[in-house]
Amino acid sequence: VALLVDDRGGLLRVDVESRIVLGRVENLHGTGGGPGGGVPLTCVVGTRGYVATGDAQGLLRLWPLDLSDFLLEARHEGPVSSVAVSPDELTVAVASQTSLGLLRLDAALQPADRYETLSRPHTTGVGCAAAFSGPAPGPTPGGGGTVPLGGPAFSGLGGSGGDV
């Protein structure tokens, strides 16, 4: 089964083999202007242990696989455009219009430290995010044809980073 966000911000469960929509999950992010009164979802990613969703109001939520009740939530500074999870499932990267946030988890899926927003010098929207098991995030593609680099992994490139 695959989880997809449709063009109205709803979450669809799809049987990949038969290509049949099994159902639509409503109101995962409370009340608002989305389908069924919920806040529109903008992205979803599933792992072996949980599902991560992001919404148009900047909320990231982690859910058990049955989506019964969210495990935790973090507020990002802007509408979430992309969510990615590291291979070890302990780091969640969140992209918004101009920044990237990181949520590090412990083995019990609780925050290992506070939610961290990494300011990036993007002048247009962040197209996607990628999460790694290592200590520092990689570059994030901007809509202006640049890939800004920053953070501890790129400190040797002249301070806070630069565009490539």
Side-chain angles (χ1 to χ4, degrees):
V1 174
L3 297 173
L4 306 169
V5 174
D6 68 16
D7 62 348
R8 294 183 301 147
L11 187 67
L12 302 176
R13 290 180 187 243
V14 178
D15 181 312
V16 178
E17 288 185 24
S18 67
R19 298 181 185 177
I20 294 175
V21 175
L22 302 174
R24 183 184 177 101
V25 181
E26 302 282 349
N27 298 326
L28 276 181
H29 282 225
T31 59
V39 176
L41 296 179
T42 54
C43 53
V44 62
V45 64
T47 71
R48 291 182 311 276
Y50 60 89
V51 174
T53 57
D55 73 23
Q57 293 183 353
L59 193 64
L60 166 73
R61 282 190 174 167
L62 300 187
W63 303 83
L65 295 176
D66 65 2
L67 300 171
S68 57
D69 193 14
F70 65 91
L71 303 168
L72 66 93
E73 65 182 21
R75 172 96 30 214
H76 193 62
E77 64 185 35
V80 177
S81 60
S82 178
V83 175
V85 177
S86 64
D88 66 3
E89 300 182 10
L90 297 178
T91 302
V92 181
V94 182
S96 71
Q97 194 63 318
T98 59
S99 65
L100 180 70
L102 289 179
L103 176 64
R104 291 185 180 89
L105 306 169
D106 63 21
L109 297 181
Q110 294 301 309
D113 53 20
R114 65 181 176 80
Y115 182 79
E116 181 179 6
T117 299
L118 306 171
S119 294
R120 297 293 185 160
H122 291 291
T123 57
T124 59
V126 176
C128 64
F132 301 91
S133 298
T140 57
T146 64
V147 179
L149 302 175
F154 305 105
S155 60
L157 298 176
S160 62
D163 288 346
V164 173

